[in-house]
Amino acid sequence: PALPHFSDFTEMMRALGYPRLISMENFHTPNFMLVSEVLLWLVKRYEPQSDIPGDVETEQDRVFFIKAVAQFMATKAHIKLNTKRLYQADGYAVKELLKVTSVLYGAMNTQGGERADLPEEDSSKFKFDLGSKVADLKAARQLASEITSKGAVLYDLLGKEVELREARTESIARPLEINEAEKVMKIAINSVLEEVQKTKDMLNNVALDEANLEAKIEKRKLELERSQKRLQTLQSVRPAFMDEYEKIEEQLQKQYSTYLEKFRNLTYMEQLLDDHRRTEQEMFE
């Protein structure tokens, strides 16, 4: 594909201090390694502390890298990149790279940066970080939205001032009745006293429940200690029938050995009998 404004791209990259020379031949065929290198370098220019991984060995790594760079540019610099064109890594990718380099180049010129005709080693000394500016811009936008919303609320409240002024004037002009005010105050005081008494009752109930729980815990501890002592006693006492059990178990082992020997002999004799019968059958036939 044709490379529109390719000379502008190479000129901007050289002015920004890119350490390598870029030519048109580099993008005649897809060159993802160069595109990823340029993208990572531009990201570092925007924010040196960025943590975008530069691993692009596998297809999955490349897709993740392109998505991460596009998301970074959209959030930090408000630049929308076409991920498909970047992944193609050919002439169409240069169009997307131009979006980033143009912003950086414009920022450099605004801050009095030197043009592209300076030596490469001098332009490489130029350092700038738009991360703080982007953060200030986001904060300003948030404040602007808050001011707009609060202004709308204030406007609505001021619109109700006509009705509220009449009600306020009427309330102020009305004479104050001491007996009525005293009655209302007494009702409010009684209500507060009732709430205080309820709170005290709840605190007393909590203290009583705490005492009951502590008594139950102490009772459970005593039961646990008695059970542990009983267990230790049972483990230390040898059952009365244990001697007889061991003696019978020893006899059982002997009987089992005898049984195995007889079973083995019986099996052997049955095998001999079968062989003898088979021999007789063969002789008969």
Side-chain angles (χ1 to χ4, degrees), residues 176-242:
L176 181 63
E177 298 180 2
I178 303 299
N179 294 331
E180 187 68 22
E182 184 179 359
K183 181 179 179 181
V184 173
M185 291 297 296
K186 286 182 178 180
I187 293 174
I189 291 172
N190 292 332
S191 177
V192 172
L193 291 176
E194 289 179 0
E195 293 294 332
V196 171
Q197 187 62 36
K198 289 181 180 179
T199 305
K200 288 182 178 180
D201 295 339
M202 291 175 64
L203 291 175
N204 293 332
N205 293 334
V206 169
L208 182 60
D209 293 340
E210 185 178 0
N212 293 334
L213 288 174
E214 289 180 352
K216 289 182 180 180
I217 292 172
E218 189 65 25
K219 183 178 179 181
R220 295 296 183 184
K221 286 182 178 179
L222 294 176
E223 292 179 358
L224 178 61
E225 291 178 358
R226 287 196 295 268
S227 299
Q228 288 179 347
K229 291 180 180 179
R230 184 178 179 185
L231 177 61
Q232 293 176 358
T233 303
L234 292 175
Q235 289 177 347
S236 60
V237 174
R238 182 180 177 84
F241 57 84
M242 199 64 188

Side-chain angles (χ1 to χ4, degrees), residues 16-42:
L16 292 173
Y18 187 65
R20 289 179 52 185
L21 293 177
I22 302 176
S23 65
M24 187 181 300
E25 300 295 332
N26 296 129
F27 294 98
H28 278 172
T29 57
N31 191 348
F32 191 87
M33 299 303 295
L34 179 58
V35 171
S36 62
E37 180 182 344
V38 171
L39 284 173
L40 190 60
W41 186 83
L42 292 174

Side-chain angles (χ1 to χ4, degrees), residues 70-273:
Q71 184 177 3
F72 173 86
M73 289 299 175
T75 56
K76 296 293 185 180
H78 301 283
I79 299 175
K80 186 177 180 180
L81 298 176
N82 190 321
T83 54
K84 292 184 178 180
R85 290 185 174 181
L86 288 176
Y87 191 81
Q88 289 177 4
D90 52 9
Y92 290 107
V94 178
K95 295 182 180 180
E96 305 303 317
L97 295 175
L98 269 170
K99 298 178 182 179
V100 184
T101 54
S102 299
V103 175
L104 285 173
Y105 187 74
M108 183 182 70
N109 291 335
T110 302
Q111 297 177 4
E114 297 181 352
R115 307 293 288 184
D117 54 356
L118 292 179
E120 184 177 353
E121 57 271 13
D122 293 337
S123 62
S124 63
K125 297 178 181 178
F126 179 76
K127 300 293 182 180
F128 58 93
D129 182 11
L130 297 180
S132 60
K133 300 297 182 182
V134 173
D136 295 341
L137 180 61
K138 293 175 66 176
R141 288 183 176 179
Q142 184 177 1
L143 289 175
S145 63
E146 291 180 0
I147 291 172
T148 304
S149 61
K150 291 185 182 298
V153 174
L154 181 60
Y155 179 80
D156 294 337
L157 294 177
L158 290 175
K160 300 178 182 178
E161 175 62 18
V162 178
E163 300 176 0
L164 296 177
R165 187 188 300 113
E166 295 178 359
R168 184 170 60 251
T169 304
E170 182 180 356
S171 299
I172 294 173
R174 187 172 58 189
L176 181 63
E177 298 180 2
I178 303 299
N179 294 331
E180 187 68 22
E182 184 179 359
K183 181 179 179 181
V184 173
M185 291 297 296
K186 286 182 178 180
I187 293 174
I189 291 172
N190 292 332
S191 177
V192 172
L193 291 176
E194 289 179 0
E195 293 294 332
V196 171
Q197 187 62 36
K198 289 181 180 179
T199 305
K200 288 182 178 180
D201 295 339
M202 291 175 64
L203 291 175
N204 293 332
N205 293 334
V206 169
L208 182 60
D209 293 340
E210 185 178 0
N212 293 334
L213 288 174
E214 289 180 352
K216 289 182 180 180
I217 292 172
E218 189 65 25
K219 183 178 179 181
R220 295 296 183 184
K221 286 182 178 179
L222 294 176
E223 292 179 358
L224 178 61
E225 291 178 358
R226 287 196 295 268
S227 299
Q228 288 179 347
K229 291 180 180 179
R230 184 178 179 185
L231 177 61
Q232 293 176 358
T233 303
L234 292 175
Q235 289 177 347
S236 60
V237 174
R238 182 180 177 84
F241 57 84
M242 199 64 188
D243 295 337
E244 183 180 0
Y245 172 78
E246 292 177 352
K247 184 177 180 181
I248 294 175
E249 187 177 13
E250 184 178 355
Q251 293 177 0
L252 178 62
Q253 291 292 336
K254 294 180 180 180
Q255 292 292 335
Y256 183 71
S257 299
T258 304
Y259 164 76
L260 288 178
E261 184 179 357
K262 290 184 178 181
F263 181 79
R264 189 166 52 250
N265 293 337
L266 178 61
T267 303
Y268 177 70
M269 296 299 292
E270 289 178 351
Q271 181 66 31
L272 291 178
L273 180 60

Side-chain angles (χ1 to χ4, degrees), residues 265-283:
N265 293 337
L266 178 61
T267 303
Y268 177 70
M269 296 299 292
E270 289 178 351
Q271 181 66 31
L272 291 178
L273 180 60
D274 291 340
D275 294 342
H276 180 69
R277 288 176 179 175
R278 189 180 302 106
T279 303
E280 287 183 348
Q281 182 68 24
E282 290 175 357
M283 292 177 63

